[in-house]
Amino acid sequence: MNTKNLFYSHPTAVIDSNSEIGMHTKIWHFSHIMSDSKIGESCNIGQNVVISPNVIIGNRVKIQNNVSVYSGVICEDDVFLGPSMVFTNVINPRSFIVRKKEFLETYVEKGATIGANATIICGNRIGTYAMIGAGTVITKPVPAYALIVGNPGKQIGWVSKYGHRLTFNSNNDTTCKESGEKYRIDNNTLIPE
């Protein structure tokens, strides 16, 4: 469990046995890390966060306050989960029917951002460095680097690895204004160069 030199947990946090927590991770007030979950290194788990059994969280993931990460969710490295965003894990929940065998996997790829109060319907994959706007409801898979907003979520553009909306020239080429990285669109796919 917490050997203080490996990770930090606030005294009000609850960490169940058989959970794995990487070095330099911080777990804040009233959060609950449930058994058989795996959290990588240098993560920040905000206040009142629940990590359910069998969840896998990569390295350098930031989970803001009031997020529940339910069984079936996998987040790769460098993912950002905004305040009070929501994952689901059953398509047709009923309180009187146990459907734990029907949990669907939700996979969040490296560097993706999910904004505050967004809802991710289970069974979908969020692509690398995608940007999901605040309050968006995701009902289908999201391409890498896509900018998605609304309810239901619709793609309104593309973002760079640094999270800037991209504007393309007549050759479908562009450059990120912060990093200088170049991108192009080919067959409705954003390709970093």
Side-chain angles (χ1 to χ4, degrees), residues 116-130:
N117 293 305
T119 300
I120 311 301
I121 303 301
C122 58
N124 289 300
R125 189 174 190 101
I126 310 298
T128 303
Y129 300 111

Side-chain angles (χ1 to χ4, degrees), residues 7-26:
F7 66 90
Y8 169 81
S9 63
H10 189 271
T12 61
V14 176
I15 301 173
D16 292 349
S17 61
N18 298 323
S19 56
E20 293 180 26
I21 301 169
M23 290 178 55
H24 310 296
T25 287
K26 294 178 181 172

Side-chain angles (χ1 to χ4, degrees), residues 74 76 79 81 85 87 105-114 119-121 123-132 138-146 148:
I74 298 170
E76 290 186 352
V79 165
L81 304 179
M85 62 79 49
F87 288 106
E105 181 180 279
T106 298
Y107 199 101
V108 185
E109 294 181 12
K110 180 178 174 66
T113 291
I114 302 175
T119 300
I120 311 301
I121 303 301
N124 289 300
R125 189 174 190 101
I126 310 298
T128 303
Y129 300 111
M131 178 82 67
I132 311 300
I138 296 299
T139 60
K140 59 186 178 182
V142 173
Y145 301 96
I148 310 288

Side-chain angles (χ1 to χ4, degrees), residues 6 54 60 77-78 83 100 102 113 118 135 138 140 143 158 188:
L6 297 180
N54 303 310
R60 299 171 306 279
D77 296 346
D78 304 313
K100 290 183 178 180
E102 298 177 28
T113 291
I138 296 299
K140 59 186 178 182
W158 302 97
N188 203 32

Side-chain angles (χ1 to χ4, degrees), residues 21-38:
I21 301 169
M23 290 178 55
H24 310 296
T25 287
K26 294 178 181 172
I27 302 166
W28 294 101
H29 308 68
F30 310 111
S31 289
H32 186 181
I33 311 303
M34 299 178 81
S35 62
D36 300 316
S37 58
K38 295 179 182 175

